[in-house]
């Protein structure tokens, strides 16, 4: 069966570094996987927000 040079390289890399896939999973979990949203908590946060003034750099003291 034909395997491209890249496929052979990846197979060889995974054999030399078996921990690589676990590190990839940890990195993905760190950056992309998010915890489920609690809708009640989200509603409370939205209700507790203080509205922002239209021009935030000017405060009329």
């Amino acid at each position: 069966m034909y395997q491209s040079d890249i496929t052979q390289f990846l197979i060889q890399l995974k054999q030399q570094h078996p921990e690589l896939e676990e590190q990839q999973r940890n990195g993905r979990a760190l950056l992309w996987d998010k915890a489920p949203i609690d809708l009640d908590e989200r509603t409370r946060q939205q209700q507790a927000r203080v509205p922002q003034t239209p021009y935030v750099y000017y405060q009329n003291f």
Side-chain angles (χ1 to χ4, degrees):
M1 186 169 105
Y2 172 76
Q3 290 183 339
S4 69
D5 293 339
I6 304 238
T7 303
Q8 292 174 8
F9 170 76
L10 290 174
I11 291 171
Q12 181 182 8
L13 181 66
K14 289 179 182 181
Q15 288 174 350
Q16 291 174 353
H17 302 282
E19 74 283 354
L20 187 62
E21 286 189 41
E22 182 65 28
Q23 291 174 350
Q24 288 176 325
R25 281 191 213 99
N26 291 339
R28 177 176 183 240
L30 179 66
L31 297 175
W32 295 104
D33 295 342
K34 304 293 180 193
I37 297 172
D38 180 11
L39 296 179
D40 293 332
E41 178 65 24
R42 183 176 180 186
T43 303
R44 282 193 296 274
Q45 289 176 353
Q46 287 176 341
Q47 291 173 350
R49 280 187 86 172
V50 176
Q52 185 174 356
T53 58
Y55 187 70
V56 297
Y57 298 109
Y58 175 72
Q59 298 288 332
N60 193 4
F61 294 104

